[in-house]
Amino acid sequence: MKRPLVAAALVLALLGSSCAALLDLLRSSFKQPTLVYKSVALDDISLAGLTLDTVWRLENPNAVGISLASVDYALFIENKQVVAGAPKNGLTIPPNGGIDLHFPANFRFQDVAGVVETFLTKDTAAWRAEGKLGVQTPIGVLQLPIQTQGSFEVPKVPQVALGNPRVSNLSFNGATIDFPLTVTNRNSFPLPVGGLEGQFAIAGAPVGTVNTGDLGKLDGRGARQLSLPLNVNLFNAASAVQRAIAGGNQQVQFNAAFNVAGQRVPIRVDQVVNFLR
C-alpha cells in the first residue's frame, strides 16, 4: 500500500518542479508592457466648464495577449480632484500590439474655483494625473505607474463693446433706443456663449433690461453684431436719459451676465457713446 502513495508523491513533486520551471521560463522570456502618456485633448469647452481627456498608450511586446485587471486613476485641476472616467477592466491588448487608453473628465469651473468668474481670470490652469494600471499577464498582475502633469488654456470671457445708440419712434410720451453691441470671441476655438441678459443705464439712471436669448456658438476669433431695442417712457425718465434721447454724448453702463449651462458669468461695459437721431 505504501508503494503507490510514494509513487504518487513522486509524480506530484515532478509536476510541481515542472510547473515552477515553466513559470521561471515565462518570467525570464516575458517582456514588461509599457504605459506612456501620449496627449491631452480638450472638448466641450464653454464658460461653464470643459472635458479634459488624457490619452495613454499601452504597448504589449509579447507573443501572448494581456488584459486590464485594475485601474486606479486620479485627476487634479488646480490641486482639486475631479471625477474622471477610465477604461473598463478586461479590455484586451493583442499580442505584439497596443491600444490608446482614454481617461475623460468633464468638470465645471465653479466646482474647482468656487466662483466661475474667479477661474476665468486665469490664463492657464494646471492639471496632473496620477495612479496605477494593473495588467493581467501569464506571470500575474503587473502594476504600471500613471504620472504626468500639464496645463491648459482657460477660455476667456467674450469682449462686449457698445456702439452708438440710435433713437427712433420718438413721440411725446417716449422713444425707442437701439443699443448696438458687438460680442467678440477672444479665443482661438469656438465658444458657446448662451444668452446675454442685463440692464442698461445712462449716466447711472436705469433705462431697462434686455435678454438676447441663446446666442449659440461663436467661431474662434469671431464676432456677433447685436441690436438691443429698449422702449423708454419719457415721463419717468431721468434728466440724463432725456438729454441722451435729445442727442449727443452720454456715459452708458451695461451690467449683464452670460448664462451658460446654468452658470452666470458677469460682465460690465462702461462707455461714452454718441446718441444718434
Side-chain angles (χ1 to χ4, degrees):
M1 294 293 292
K2 292 183 178 179
R3 288 181 179 177
L5 291 175
V6 172
L10 181 60
V11 171
L12 289 174
L14 290 174
L15 288 174
S17 62
S18 297
C19 288
L22 180 60
L23 186 58
D24 288 340
L25 179 61
L26 283 172
R27 285 173 176 165
S28 63
S29 61
F30 191 83
K31 299 177 183 178
Q32 177 85 359
T34 58
L35 180 67
V36 179
Y37 168 70
K38 185 177 179 181
S39 63
V40 63
L42 301 181
D43 199 7
D44 302 324
I45 305 173
S46 74
L47 296 176
L50 55 80
T51 297
L52 186 149
D53 183 13
T54 63
V55 184
W56 302 73
R57 183 69 179 176
L58 178 58
E59 293 283 355
N60 175 22
N62 298 282
V64 295
I66 59 178
S67 62
L68 293 187
S70 63
V71 178
D72 179 13
Y73 180 84
L75 178 69
F76 298 85
I77 308 293
E78 294 291 294
N79 293 320
K80 183 165 184 177
Q81 187 171 358
V82 298
V83 177
K88 293 183 179 180
N89 293 345
L91 183 66
T92 58
I93 301 89
N96 298 310
I99 58 173
D100 286 343
L101 302 179
H102 291 259
F103 297 82
N106 183 274
F107 66 95
R108 300 185 306 168
F109 300 143
Q110 185 179 39
D111 295 337
V112 175
V115 181
V116 64
E117 54 262 36
T118 300
F119 191 92
L120 293 174
T121 60
K122 300 175 178 291
D123 291 326
T124 60
W127 64 268
R128 77 177 190 277
E130 56 188 45
K132 55 187 177 181
L133 197 73
V135 181
Q136 183 68 58
T137 74
I139 61 173
V141 176
L142 301 180
Q143 300 291 338
L144 305 178
I146 296 173
Q147 187 69 52
T148 193
Q149 61 184 3
S151 62
F152 62 89
E153 180 184 353
V154 175
K156 300 176 182 65
V157 179
Q159 183 182 46
V160 177
L162 181 63
N164 293 323
R166 181 170 293 277
V167 179
S168 61
N169 300 325
L170 184 61
S171 68
F172 181 77
N173 295 323
T176 299
I177 305 178
D178 290 294
F179 291 93
L181 286 181
T182 302
V183 181
T184 303
N185 181 8
R186 297 183 292 163
N187 303 284
S188 60
F189 45 81
L191 188 73
V193 294
L196 183 61
E197 181 179 7
Q199 184 181 70
F200 278 105
I202 299 175
V207 179
T209 300
V210 295
N211 189 333
T212 64
D214 191 357
L215 295 175
K217 185 177 290 188
L218 292 177
D219 294 334
R221 309 297 182 192
R224 184 78 52 83
Q225 306 291 331
L226 306 174
S227 181
L228 306 179
L230 277 176
N231 294 319
V232 180
N233 187 318
L234 292 181
F235 285 114
N236 299 327
S239 58
V241 178
Q242 293 175 346
R243 289 196 301 272
I245 290 175
N249 295 335
Q250 289 290 339
Q251 192 84 24
V252 172
Q253 298 84 29
F254 183 44
N255 292 310
F258 288 104
N259 295 299
V260 186
Q263 301 291 325
R264 289 178 55 83
V265 181
I267 64 162
R268 177 178 170 82
V269 181
D270 195 338
Q271 287 181 231
V272 174
V273 293
N274 183 30
F275 282 77
L276 306 176
R277 293 281 300 273

